[in-house]
Amino acid sequence: MTYSIIYSVLLLASLGVTAAMVLYVVSKKFYVYENPLIAEVEDLLPAANCAGCGSPGCKAFAEKLVDTDDISDLFCPVGGNDVMQLVSEALGKEVAEKDPTVAVVRCQGACDVRPKTSEFQGPKSCAISALIYSGETDCQYGCLGDGDCVAVCKFNAMYMDETTGLPVVITDKCTSCGMCAEACPRDIIEMRPKHKRDLKIFVGCLNEDKGGIARKACSVACIGCSKCFDICPKEAITMVNNLAYIDPEYCTLCRKCVPVCPTDSIIETNFPKKKVKKVEVDQGAEVKSVNLIDHA
């Protein structure tokens, strides 16, 4: 009995030693070398793993940075220029600085301006809603309101406004990772330049229907009247498919387009209130004071 136990222990021990030796040989035989720079660069990245850089994670992005000779087209939106400068110093490669961007919601079809015409009694998901029907309103281009964008945001930079039924971006928390834009099946979220004081001007509508149909579905829809297009001094506005679009690359934030929009579909954020100038008009013996609004 005692010998059988000893033999069993020796047999198991010999099997363990043999297996360990085999694993050691295999590990050495098939060892994959990893450049130590990859770990160094990965430590410099913010570890958000948000895929905003185009890679599935920070380690994959670090590998791409190390293995690519020209990294001027590679950029970490979360870390921004500061992190990319550290990467440049670590790798000895030139990087291109980029202006910071922020997510904007190009739909202002709140409940009071875009009435519901149907009700979907199913899973509350924008992706599912977009696949099986056009939405609970007559606008088939606007926000579906189920919060897929909010659900994917890893930085708590978005929330759903209970009053409007629309997502709201918290600019100070937004890292420009772009995950919300990818999650939106209607493509209403766009990454736009973040100017000083977060000044932005953009068309808050994506409705491509003709004016009357668009206006019936949403009272603040773009009706394709081209008034903003005609008044823009920098040719920053284009008209495509009955819809105006303001190109942030050419827009100088002059705001001349804002007051001419008959449906108030152009959104301006964080601008100071327009100044009111008093001008005296001489009408014979009577002098009247007239208020003029300065849109400049």
Side-chain angles (χ1 to χ4, degrees), residues 3 8 27-28 46 76-77 83 90 93 99 117 132 142 149 172 177 182 189 224 245-246 262 265-266 270 289-290:
Y3 288 109
S8 300
S27 66
K28 291 298 182 181
C76 172
V83 168
K93 300 176 182 179
D99 294 331
T117 55
I132 61 178
C149 52
D172 294 338
C177 69
E182 289 190 16
I189 300 178
Y245 176 75
I246 301 176
S265 65
I266 299 178
N270 299 321
S289 179
V290 180

Side-chain angles (χ1 to χ4, degrees), residues 123-169:
K124 291 298 181 181
S125 167
C126 297
I128 295 175
S129 299
L131 283 174
I132 61 178
Y133 81 129
S134 59
E136 294 183 338
T137 70
D138 288 337
C139 176
Q140 58 180 331
Y141 302 92
C143 177
L144 290 163
D146 291 328
D148 286 19
C149 52
V150 175
V152 299
C153 181
K154 295 183 177 182
F155 306 96
N156 296 322
M158 298 185 74
Y159 67 92
M160 295 299 298
D161 190 316
E162 295 182 358
T163 303
T164 64
L166 298 173
V168 178
V169 179

Side-chain angles (χ1 to χ4, degrees), residues 104-127:
V104 297
V105 179
R106 293 187 57 205
C107 176
Q108 53 179 338
C111 303
D112 58 336
V113 297
R114 189 174 54 141
K116 289 186 177 182
T117 55
S118 62
E119 184 176 354
F120 176 61
Q121 296 180 346
K124 291 298 181 181
S125 167
C126 297

